């Protein structure tokens, strides 16, 4: 399907099916645990909402906002933390949920921040992985879809705060990017 400079990469039904599979896997892996799920805002909010509604184990949720300097599709090396989690993290099994792992800088910064929290374990869960864009090595434990190094929007992912509401994942083509002013 192609419309208005969007090329659909992953259809809504395929996302839902895969998210259910990921939740089943996590429910099995954490059947003896009560994991703390740390959601990276803003992008991961839609993915997480669907993921946790398919979990069959007890779990807790907390949110963290990280930002990288720069906006649009530019990549940036600097990542800051806006708010810290308030949940108890000591001796907890932590699952960090992100919507996409690109350079890996955001997650590697978050892991550094969480290192002094004395968690029992850490795993990373992402809907999308762009391994060809990786600049910092990072272990990702649960991956929904591996995609090429293209800029995508939808299902929580934005371009200048737009398109998060699309139920599918689409590549934003240069023609449409150039027409968007924020
Ligand atoms: P990192 O490069 O792995 O640190 O990813 C930083 C953040 O950039 C991600 O969590 C997303 O919020 C955003 N990002 C990376 N690639 C894309 C993309 O293709 N579309 C929209 N946002 C992206
Ligand atoms: Mg993000």
């Amino acid at each position: 399907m192609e419309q208005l400079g969007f090329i659909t990469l992953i259809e809504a039904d395929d996302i839902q099916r895969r998210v259910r599979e990921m939740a089943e896997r996590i429910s099995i892996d954490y059947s003896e645990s009560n994991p703390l799920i740390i959601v990276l805002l803003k992008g991961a909010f839609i993915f997480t909402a669907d993921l946790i509604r398919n979990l069959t184990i007890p779990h807790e949720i907390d949110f963290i906002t990280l930002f990288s300097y720069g906006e649009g599709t530019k990549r940036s090396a600097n990542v800051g933390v806006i708010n810290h989690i308030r949940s108890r993290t000591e001796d907890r099994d932590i699952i960090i949920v992100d919507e996409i792992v690109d350079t890996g800088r955001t997650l590697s910064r978050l892991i550094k921040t969480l290192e002094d929290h004395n968690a029992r374990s850490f795993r990373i869960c992402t809907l999308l992985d762009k391994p060809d864009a990786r600049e910092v090595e990072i272990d990702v434990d649960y991956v929904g879809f591996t995609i090429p190094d293209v800029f995508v929007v939808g299902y929580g992912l934005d371009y200048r705060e737009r398109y998060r509401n699309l139920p599918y994942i689409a590549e934003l083509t240069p023609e449409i990017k150039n027409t968007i002013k924020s």
Side-chain angles (χ1 to χ4, degrees), residues 40-44 66-68 72-77 79 98-109 126 128 130 133-136 138 147-154 156-160 162 164 169-172:
L40 264 72
L41 294 176
K42 303 172 190 173
L66 301 181
F67 65 95
S68 48
T73 57
K74 270 201 314 277
R75 290 201 173 107
S76 164
V79 180
D98 203 354
E99 76 286 13
I100 189 164
V101 184
D102 184 33
T103 63
R105 290 188 188 281
T106 307
L107 284 172
S108 103
R109 172 75 169 79
T126 183
L128 304 176
K130 281 195 222 175
R134 203 73 92 251
E135 292 171 10
V136 177
I138 191 156
I147 62 166
D149 186 9
V150 293
F151 194 83
V152 292
V153 294
L157 291 110
D158 73 304
Y159 174 67
R160 297 189 173 171
R162 288 178 66 175
R164 293 190 196 274
I169 301 281
E171 180 182 350
L172 194 63

Side-chain angles (χ1 to χ4, degrees), residues 5 73 159-160 163 172-182:
T73 57
Y159 174 67
R160 297 189 173 171
Y163 311 116
L172 194 63
T173 62
E175 306 84 77
I176 192 156
K177 251 187 241 168
N178 294 336
T179 66
I180 298 167
K181 306 261 183 302
S182 56

